[in-house]
């Protein structure tokens, strides 16, 4: 590890053993050592001492204590501190992106996009800090004022996945901060070094800005010492979790057992419908990026293409042609489209899914191979795969976190929308059409049942401006833009009687004399 005195790693102070917990600066942890292994070449790029149970307690106490002080800071001042966090992310965008690219194997441009998403989120949260608006309602009683206000909620637990190791934390944490909450972050063990890097950049900014210590905390560790404790912890009124449906179900049950709140962003099984009037060039580019971008490991990855029968053959042959031109390799190298999957287990899961697809009657049109030799000896590289499959195959209902695209024909738009909606997940969806009536149907109550519905662009790559999330097994949570901030606050209805009488609502009479 030490032989690669890489400038980004040195600049971010990531050489040598890192501490997996902290709340203003790292502190000496007592858990096991976790190796950060790059999927690019299986090199150990970092070592992290994880948190033991006692370390978890230290972090939680700090986050709870900091909440008392932080919630006293006026929201626009909290926003000012978030503005400075955005500043350091701007300054260190390239270095942070490099760590992300190394640790999870994203291509450089997507890794930089990830840091940009954090910066966008910081800007958004700064504005929001002056707009934590409540409403005023006319009271039915004379000389009464009725209004709603939004108050800080408490320390918030944020569980993130490896595939967006930083952006999804920023969606949650930067909003939670301006809302007056403190944040306890448990990142994926597969992306722990990126989390350490981000915190080591941000903690000094908080200290220099006079924020109370403990406002942003990090705790990396196993299920026993950290994961289960975090979701069971009554000091955390809200847990926001991103990951698989299975993980979300577990989190949801644990948190609801203590009547806590969750924001869940779980699996997707996103489809693109390609209608006969579609601009095929656009559709093709969007489907390729949607299916292959981030090596098929986005929640929003295009997993299904539902293509009108009249253009199906042409679309498939052009798609295969485009897949042939994809450059697979080192994600840090210029011009690479697709890097490795996160680890060999992900490659095995992809192979198992393809095996099932074949067994269930699917037909592989292109790819799906595990690459070997040279850099590919890491065993983490695959060719993205196109599979012709009936929409109702059991494997097509599942989210396999890999670049597999299932292709299906349709005859009528209602049928295509029905196929699109007939999966358990409901995150993102798209249609390519130049027919206004088709587009409007797709966007109507009879159209897509997903949290995201796009026309003439793909399923992935959402901006932060709208609330992000999905329906059904995707978990129903919303994060990032629009009014997602409300989930991080407690709402209070307030009535003030400025009369000298006590009129009861609904005209109830309860006079004592
Ligand atoms: C995720 O995969 O969990 O819309 C988030 C997108 C990104 C976020 C994906 N902005 O594809």
């Amino acid at each position: 590890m030490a032989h690669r005195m890489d400038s980004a790693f040195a600049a971010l102070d990531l050489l040598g053993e890192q501490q997996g917990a902290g709340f203003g600066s790292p502190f000496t942890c007592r858990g096991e050592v976790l190796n950060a292994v790059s999927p690019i070449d299986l090199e150990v790029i970092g070592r992290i001492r994880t948190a033991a149970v006692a370390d978890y307690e230290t972090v939680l106490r700090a986050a709870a204590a900091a909440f008392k002080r932080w919630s006293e800071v006026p929201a626009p001042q909290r926003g000012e501190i978030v503005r400075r966090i955005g500043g350091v992310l701007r300054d260190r965008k390239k270095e942070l992106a490099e760590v992300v690219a190394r640790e999870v194997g994203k291509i450089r441009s997507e890794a930089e996009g990830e840091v940009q998403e954090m910066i966008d989120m910081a800007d958004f949260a700064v504005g929001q800090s002056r707009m934590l608006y409540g409403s005023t309602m006319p009271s039915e009683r004379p000389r009464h004022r009725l209004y709603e206000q939004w108050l800080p909620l408490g320390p918030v637990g944020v569980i993130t996945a490896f595939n967006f190791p930083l952006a999804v934390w920023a969606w949650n944490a930067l909003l939670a901060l301006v809302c007056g909450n403190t944040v306890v972050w448990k990142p994926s063990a597969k992306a722990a070094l990126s989390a350490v890097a981000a915190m080591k950049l941000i903690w000094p900014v908080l200290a220099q800005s006079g924020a109370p210590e403990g406002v942003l905390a990090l705790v990396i560790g196993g299920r026993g010492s950290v994961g289960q404790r975090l979701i069971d912890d009554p000091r955390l009124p809200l847990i926001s979790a991103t990951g698989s449906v299975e993980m979300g179900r577990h989190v949801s049950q644990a948190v609801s057992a203590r009547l806590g709140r969750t924001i869940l962003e779980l699996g997707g099984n996103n489809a693109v419908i390609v209608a006969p009037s579609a601009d095929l060039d656009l559709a093709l580019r969007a489907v390729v990026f949607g299916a292959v971008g981030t090596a098929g490991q986005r929640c929003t990855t295009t997993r299904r293409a539902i293509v009108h029968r009249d253009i199906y053959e042409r679309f498939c042959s052009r798609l295969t042609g485009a897949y042939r031109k994809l450059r697979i390799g080192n994600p840090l190298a210029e011009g690479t489209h697709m890097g490795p999957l996160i680890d060999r287990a992900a490659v095995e899961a992809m192979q198992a899914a393809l095996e099932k697809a074949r067994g269930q009657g699917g037909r592989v049109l292109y790819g799906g191979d595990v690459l070997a030799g040279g850099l590919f000896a890491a065993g983490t590289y695959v060719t993205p795969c196109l599979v012709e499959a009936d929409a109702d195959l059991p494997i097509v209902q599942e989210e396999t976190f890999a670049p597999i695209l299932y292709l299906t024909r349709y005859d009528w738009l209602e049928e295509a929308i029905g196929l699109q909606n007939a999966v358990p997940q409901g995150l993102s969806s798209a249609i390519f059409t130049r027919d206004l009536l088709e587009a409007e149907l797709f966007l109507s109550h009879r159209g897509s049942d997903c949290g995201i519905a796009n026309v003439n662009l793909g399923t992935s790559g959402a901006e932060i401006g709208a609330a992000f999330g999905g329906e059904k097994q995707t978990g129903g949570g919303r994060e990032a833009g629009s009014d997602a901030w409300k989930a991080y606050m407690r709402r209070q209805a307030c009535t003030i009687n400025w009369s000298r009488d006590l009129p009861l609502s609904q005209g109830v009479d309860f006079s004592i004399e």
Side-chain angles (χ1 to χ4, degrees):
M1 158 200 163
H3 70 269
R4 194 193 288 263
M5 294 295 288
D6 184 88
S7 62
F9 280 57
L12 297 179
D13 189 21
L14 297 176
L15 306 175
E17 187 174 289
Q18 304 297 310
Q19 300 301 326
F23 49 87
S25 57
F27 67 85
T28 307
C29 289
R30 278 159 288 178
E32 289 161 11
V33 169
L34 172 75
N35 280 339
V37 179
S38 173
I40 300 174
D41 48 13
L42 304 188
E43 185 187 359
V44 175
I45 56 167
R47 265 194 271 279
I48 299 153
R49 173 77 56 186
T50 60
V53 175
D55 303 324
Y56 172 84
E57 261 313 304
T58 308
V59 167
L60 255 288
R61 273 200 297 272
F67 173 68
K68 292 206 175 68
R69 295 176 57 201
W70 184 242
S71 54
E72 293 272 347
V73 176
Q77 285 182 32
R78 300 193 292 248
E80 166 59 19
I81 292 175
V82 170
R83 190 181 65 75
R84 294 187 200 184
I85 295 175
V88 75
L89 294 171
R90 276 192 169 83
D91 292 346
R92 292 298 196 183
K93 178 174 171 179
K94 282 216 160 4
E95 290 89 344
L96 206 48
E98 169 115 19
V99 176
V100 169
R102 284 272 184 88
E103 190 174 30
V104 302
K106 285 190 188 206
I107 61 169
R108 207 183 277 278
S109 161
E110 287 187 280
E112 285 177 12
E114 163 126 24
V115 182
Q116 186 58 45
E117 198 159 339
M118 303 175 86
I119 296 166
D120 294 344
M121 208 47 228
D123 288 350
F124 183 90
V126 176
Q128 194 67 63
S129 72
R130 290 184 182 270
M131 297 186 292
L132 303 176
Y133 298 142
S135 309
T136 303
M137 300 82 178
S139 171
E140 65 191 48
R141 288 172 279 192
R143 299 198 167 188
H144 277 56
R145 184 157 74 85
L146 176 60
Y147 77 102
E148 282 185 350
Q149 61 174 344
W150 295 89
L151 300 167
L153 185 64
V156 173
V158 177
I159 299 171
T160 54
F162 77 83
N163 66 330
F164 274 83
L166 299 179
V168 173
W169 170 80
W171 293 353
N172 286 280
L174 301 181
L175 276 187
L177 274 191
V178 299
C179 292
N181 305 321
T182 58
V183 178
V184 180
W185 181 14
K186 185 210 163 298
S188 161
K190 296 173 187 174
L193 193 64
S194 299
V196 170
M199 285 293 90
K200 282 175 94 166
L201 265 186
I202 292 170
W203 280 329
V205 175
L206 293 178
Q208 285 151 22
S209 315
E213 197 175 60
V215 160
L216 289 180
L218 174 70
V219 61
I220 297 162
R223 193 165 172 168
S225 50
V226 174
Q228 190 65 40
R229 252 161 238 285
L230 187 91
I231 58 180
D232 286 336
D233 200 321
R235 289 169 292 187
L236 300 170
L238 171 66
I239 300 287
S240 173
T242 303
S244 67
V245 170
E246 193 193 357
M247 182 280 292
R249 194 172 277 128
H250 178 73
V251 170
S252 171
Q253 284 167 358
V255 178
S256 63
R258 60 177 173 89
L259 300 178
R261 292 194 205 167
T262 51
I263 298 174
L264 298 175
E265 198 247 293
L266 312 175
N269 193 350
N270 319 298
V272 168
I273 296 173
V274 187
S277 69
D279 178 330
L280 274 197
D281 290 336
L282 282 194
L284 205 74
R285 279 163 55 195
V287 168
V288 175
F289 173 67
V292 174
T294 324
Q297 300 171 113
R298 290 193 190 211
C299 299
T300 49
T301 290
T302 306
R303 309 214 173 272
R304 300 177 293 145
I306 303 167
V307 185
H308 193 272
R309 186 174 300 277
D310 292 351
I311 54 169
Y312 181 84
E313 295 302 335
R314 191 148 51 98
F315 187 77
C316 284
S317 91
R318 289 192 59 190
L319 195 58
T320 313
Y323 267 51
R324 273 187 225 290
K325 286 194 214 141
L326 289 170
R327 286 185 293 273
I328 301 156
N330 189 332
L332 297 166
E334 187 86 21
T336 301
H337 295 109
M338 192 178 107
L341 299 194
I342 186 66
D343 53 22
R344 284 185 180 170
V347 173
E348 279 158 27
M350 177 177 176
Q351 295 310 300
L354 289 177
E355 200 49 51
K356 277 192 199 162
R358 286 192 197 94
Q360 291 167 10
R363 194 164 67 88
V364 173
L365 300 180
Y366 179 83
D369 306 309
V370 182
L371 296 168
L375 178 71
F376 300 145
T380 49
Y381 294 82
V382 295
T383 47
C385 190
L386 299 171
V387 182
E388 189 171 74
D390 288 343
D392 59 357
L393 295 192
I395 190 67
V396 178
Q397 316 308 304
E398 287 175 31
E399 177 193 51
T400 304
F401 227 50
I404 303 174
L405 179 68
Y406 297 110
L407 293 142
T408 309
R409 294 176 180 79
Y410 80 89
D411 293 296
W412 307 104
L413 185 56
E414 285 81 353
E415 174 200 359
I417 292 171
L419 294 176
Q420 186 216 249
N421 291 344
V423 292
Q425 311 84 348
L427 180 55
S428 186
S429 59
I431 188 169
F432 280 81
T433 181
R434 284 187 286 203
D435 181 325
L436 177 70
L437 304 188
E438 287 194 337
E440 290 290 341
L441 172 62
F442 180 77
L443 297 174
S444 76
H445 60 285
R446 287 174 47 206
S448 164
D449 66 359
C450 294
I452 298 171
N454 294 335
V455 176
N456 294 335
L457 71 159
T459 59
S460 69
E463 304 173 17
I464 58 105
F468 182 96
E471 305 300 330
K472 303 192 291 187
Q473 285 189 5
T474 303
R478 291 295 186 277
E479 295 163 311
S482 183
D483 64 351
W485 61 273
K486 290 179 176 174
Y488 302 83
M489 302 203 84
R490 69 187 166 84
R491 181 197 291 240
Q492 189 170 62
C494 307
T495 313
I496 297 148
N497 176 6
W498 54 282
S499 77
R500 294 180 193 280
D501 204 353
L502 193 70
L504 299 178
S505 60
Q506 294 91 40
V508 171
D509 181 10
F510 202 78
S511 42
I512 295 167
E513 282 100 55

